[in-house]
Amino acid sequence: AGERKRKKRGLAKLTFEQIGGQESAKQELREALDFMVRQDEISKFGIRPIKGILLTGPPGTGKTLLAKAAAQYTNAVFVAASGSEFVEMYVGVGASRIRDLFKEARTRAAKENKENAVIFIDEIEVIGGKREGGQQREYDQTLNQLLTEMDGIYSSDTPRILLIAATNRKEMLDSALLRPGRFDRHIQVDLPDKKGRRHILELHAANKPLQEGVNLDKIAEESYGFSGAQLESVMNEAAIYAMRDEVDQITQGHLSMAIDKVLMGEKTDRQAAE
Ligand code: ATP
């Protein structure tokens, strides 16, 4: 898990072109970002700035990739955290981490001379879950701090801060987060359709030797219901099969086997969890 986190935070530049499928999510996100940087017009018309964008959808569909691409697109610094990092035994620690996150975004933008900063919070439901009536929770303060930080974002500030959060359980979020002026843009990031799956497979095949005539359309068809993360695994497993067979290229057979392997792997993981 640690390895995955490091990878996700990696500073590697990532553009929208490197994200497969997700055409409507990419389009909506780009529109929101184009709007966000038109600062002069926004203030001239007295329009409320976009502060937060919520990405909703199942795990492994590219939400983190979209947030990174958003930073690249707006030439912003990218600062990321996961909701679970803010859950602490001691009251106030989570809140001060939120403060630090915003501080880090501002400091880094100043240091790198950037006008924009994207703050990405994955698993937002962990800190932004519904507050049940009157029930004290140790991380209420964390959520309150996040709301305070959001209310303190002004479009005329430098850096301009854009908060992007991701969740696969939007229904769990506290309504305070969804109010206008907070996360008021919601973008759905669904499992890819066949065309999207094909695109994602192509992207992950780019650095791999595929045998001529391999039919990726067929693989896209066979991998119905797979997420982008699972498709990445399929390509990786197929390459491992090819290596094991001591051949130079990945064949159709390796890819089909890899699909089964990824499906099986998910099952064993689930059984282990039960
Ligand atoms: P989670 O909800 O589990 O955090 P996520 O939606 O943020 O998942 P990512 O972390 O963006 O998913 O994706 C994980 C990995 O899966 C990526 O690093 C990439 O290799 C692959 N992947 C996922 N979606 C896509 C996509 N649309 N195009 C290309 N690769 C993808």
Side-chain angles (χ1 to χ4, degrees), residues 4 8 19-20 59-65 122 200 204 228-229 232:
R4 176 142 187 260
K8 287 181 109 169
I19 304 175
T61 44
K63 297 185 288 300
T64 307
L65 300 179
D122 202 0
I200 295 170
H204 289 285
E232 190 271 337

Side-chain angles (χ1 to χ4, degrees), residues 13-26:
K13 298 206 184 325
L14 195 128
T15 63
F16 284 116
E17 285 71 47
Q18 289 161 269
I19 304 175
Q22 304 302 356
E23 296 310 326
S24 65
K26 285 195 268 188

